[in-house]
Amino acid sequence: MKTIAVLGAGTWGTALAIHLGRIGHSVRLWARDPALCAELLAQRRNPIYLPEIPLPLTVVPTSSLAEAVGATAFVVAAIPSHGTRSVMRKVAPHVRADTTVVSATKGLEEQSLLRVSQVIAQELSEGIPVVVLSGPSFALEVARQLPTAICVASTDAAAVLEVQREFRARYFRLYASADVAGVEIGGAL
């Protein structure tokens, strides 16, 4: 299986890390707050955002962006839209050319009104595929392995197929779309 970085240890990032770890991936869950990271390591659960669901052993919390992102197949950005640009700017030097970046963030950048995938693409080296993961979902339901359907959108069809293949589970369906703007705007509403 692949090594995946999940940036953001809030409810959605934690749920995605749990999901990806359960299906066999090696996951590095980045928490911006070192104190939260220490709690995640000590308790093997997220005491603030998802206290009732334990972290699989395949999920390794870290507060180091370089450690989280280094040598990963996927980087999942599950950070608030207002923090995306600054985090991705710090992450960019560590993202390999063969990495796929998955935006799991809803909303728009306040100052520019750009969609999050556009912000991510601006901060990364050209040629790194950016895929959007969005839809009517609830983090707790994903963490509890309840049926969830999500859209995966990108102009890079191969990247969409790769995300579908590597992120799917019997309870987690991913439907492909080339309508990146539609998926992002729909998710932001």
Side-chain angles (χ1 to χ4, degrees), residues 122-136:
Q122 283 183 350
E123 295 302 327
L124 296 176
S125 299
E126 193 163 329
I128 294 175
V130 178
V131 176
V132 172
L133 182 73
S134 188

Side-chain angles (χ1 to χ4, degrees), residues 66-173:
E67 183 182 313
V69 175
T72 57
F74 299 94
V75 172
V76 178
I79 46 186
S81 58
H82 65 270
T84 297
R85 186 174 297 279
S86 64
V87 171
M88 293 311 296
R89 187 169 288 152
K90 292 173 189 167
V91 163
H94 307 288
V95 176
R96 297 182 330 194
D98 63 342
T99 300
T100 298
V101 176
V102 179
S103 173
T105 301
K106 293 179 180 175
L108 302 172
E109 185 178 51
E110 274 186 44
Q111 299 81 6
S112 67
L113 298 180
L114 291 173
R115 299 183 327 272
V116 175
S117 68
Q118 293 172 308
V119 171
I120 291 171
Q122 283 183 350
E123 295 302 327
L124 296 176
S125 299
E126 193 163 329
I128 294 175
V130 178
V131 176
V132 172
L133 182 73
S134 188
S137 58
F138 295 97
L140 185 57
E141 290 180 356
V142 172
R144 288 183 174 163
Q145 302 180 58
L146 296 174
T148 302
I150 289 189
C151 284
V152 180
S154 180
T155 56
D156 185 326
V160 167
L161 289 173
E162 186 180 22
V163 170
Q164 283 182 297
R165 182 177 59 249
E166 297 296 335
F167 287 44
R168 72 177 170 217
R170 61 176 172 68
Y171 61 91
F172 196 75
R173 292 208 177 166

Side-chain angles (χ1 to χ4, degrees), residues 13-14 27 32 45 49 70 77 103 143 146 153 156 158 168-169 174 177 187:
T14 301
V27 180
R32 132 187 99 73
R45 59 185 70 238
Y49 297 106
S103 173
L146 296 174
D156 185 326
R168 72 177 170 217
L174 300 111
S177 175

